[in-house]
Amino acid sequence: MLQTNLILEQLDSGLKPIVTKIINQERITEQEGVKLYKEAPISLLGTLANAIRETRNGNQTYFNKNIHIEPTNICVFDCKFCSYSRLLSKKSEAWEYTIDEMVEILQKYEGKEITEVHLVGGVHPKMGLHYFIELIKKIKALRPDIHVKAFTAVELEYMCRKAKVSYTEGLSMLKEAGQGSLPGGGAEIFDEEVRNIICKDKCTAEQWLAIHEAAHNLGMPSNATILYGHIEEPKHIVDHMSRLRNLQDKTNGFNTFIPLKYRNGNNQMSHIKEVNVVDDVRLYAFARIFMDNFDHLKAYWPMIGKRTTQNLLAFGVDDIDGTIDDTTKIYSMAGVEDQNPTMSTKDIVALIKAVGRTPIERDTVYNTIKEH
Ligand code: V47
Ligand code: SF4
């Protein structure tokens, strides 16, 4: 009580009704969101976000034991922020694994305790729906215990279009093969003007949302992302979060929201400076406040860095992704500090405990496996 009174007393009159709504656990509108995002002091956003985080998830901080398999970095699309994709013409820096090679990657983890394979790559013109169905079947035959979280909406739109099936048909076939859920990539910024500049040739915002809705209706949960810190403005951030919040109202199929900070190494937008940590904190804390129907907010440590991840645990974040075991190249190719992202369970547990939170090892859909 004392704390909320103090917060309200210090506010300028325009923010007071918005903050009062948040304290009373009422939803804020897009317009209120833009005002809050632009004008609220970072300390206020942090206090509110942390209170919401602790009300929802207490002191718990989730992670899992996962690996990534990236079938290829060859991609038919040309997103300006992407440091990872290689066109067919620039094959020297490209890879394209066969199904057997990907199964071999997984075989190396025999007897190890991983619970999830995150299967995402570029959009290769020759790797289609039936190829991936076969891959998933082989993964599940080898490790029936492992959850397969696979394919961004961008990959799914392309593979369903090429196979001439609806999203529901394509996803049903993948589910039947053993796919459990969808990752959150490919959302970027939904606003049409911004999307046209940064990634105009891949799936539209409507298609992204329709694919996730179709998955949720089939009982396949998914994640959602936003790519922030480039040319977008606060109104685009709030519009993006609002479209996700609306879909979550309808389906309740999203597990977690994952803000992805734009990293500027080796891509066509490298002239854009990366935002600073205060901007990171603002975005995450705001997301925790605005996205009132998402249970979890994830800081993906290979992208944002371990130290910032730790700090974000005081600003709304309750999940930090997994052990990874140096199996992803997306962010190392975009120039992040950690060129070989891997953390042992011991490292992750220590990272979380160092800021006074409780590490909870989870499965993909947030069942607790073990409290550390
Ligand atoms: O959609 C690409 C992003 C995403 C850059 O669901 C970049 O658990 C920053 O979605 N700077 C793919 N971001 C990764 C992704 C993801 C990662 C971890 C966990 C989950 C999950 C999902 O990576 C793309 C795009 O938004 N991206 N290039 C870059 N230069
Ligand atoms: Fe292709 Fe994904 Fe890179 Fe876009 S972000 S170019 S869709 S790999």
Side-chain angles (χ1 to χ4, degrees), residues 128-131 133 156-166 169-170 173:
L129 180 63
H130 298 284
Y131 183 85
I133 286 173
L156 289 163
E157 185 280 323
Y158 188 83
M159 67 176 93
C160 290
R161 177 155 46 94
K162 288 279 159 173
K164 297 191 170 52
V165 296
S166 68
E169 285 164 343
M173 289 156 86

Side-chain angles (χ1 to χ4, degrees), residues 5 69 96 109 117 120 174 186 236 252 272 298 348:
N5 278 346
I69 296 182
E96 42 188 334
Y109 292 88
V117 172
V120 168
L174 290 161
H236 303 128
N252 200 29
I272 297 175
K298 184 195 282 192
I348 288 207

Side-chain angles (χ1 to χ4, degrees), residues 169-225:
E169 285 164 343
L171 284 163
S172 307
M173 289 156 86
L174 290 161
K175 187 181 178 201
E176 178 78 23
Q179 180 173 339
S181 65
L182 276 58
E188 323 310 358
I189 290 284
F190 289 145
D191 175 81
E192 284 69 24
E193 253 176 71
V194 175
R195 204 168 180 86
N196 256 330
I197 298 170
I198 63 170
C199 56
K200 76 162 178 266
D201 54 358
K202 73 180 180 190
C203 80
T204 63
E206 288 69 30
Q207 288 169 330
W208 192 100
L209 291 162
I211 288 167
H212 283 256
E213 184 168 355
H216 298 171
N217 289 337
L218 289 169
M220 296 167 92
S222 70
N223 294 335
T225 57

Side-chain angles (χ1 to χ4, degrees), residues 72-85 121-123 152 154-155 186 188 199 201-202:
T72 182
N73 66 339
I74 289 173
C75 189
V76 298
F77 297 123
D78 183 27
C79 303
K80 304 301 175 210
F81 52 80
C82 182
S83 321
Y84 168 85
S85 75
V123 179
T152 65
V154 177
E155 295 165 279
E188 323 310 358
C199 56
D201 54 358
K202 73 180 180 190

Side-chain angles (χ1 to χ4, degrees), residues 81 149 183-186 188 223 227 258 261 263 298 300 331:
F81 52 80
K149 178 178 72 171
E188 323 310 358
N223 294 335
L227 179 71
I258 314 163
K261 174 192 183 125
R263 309 303 307 245
K298 184 195 282 192
Y300 181 55
Y331 287 101

Side-chain angles (χ1 to χ4, degrees), residues 54-77:
E54 291 186 357
T55 305
R56 277 188 175 274
N57 293 303
N59 214 19
Q60 306 196 323
T61 298
Y62 295 94
F63 72 96
N64 71 352
K65 288 183 181 151
N66 62 348
I67 60 158
H68 288 226
I69 296 182
E70 298 176 351
T72 182
N73 66 339
I74 289 173
C75 189
V76 298
F77 297 123

Side-chain angles (χ1 to χ4, degrees), residues 37 189 194 226-234 236-237 275 283:
Y37 189 87
I189 290 284
V194 175
I226 183 171
L227 179 71
Y228 73 93
H230 43 93
I231 59 165
E232 85 290 354
E233 293 168 25
H236 303 128
I237 291 171
V275 295
L283 190 292

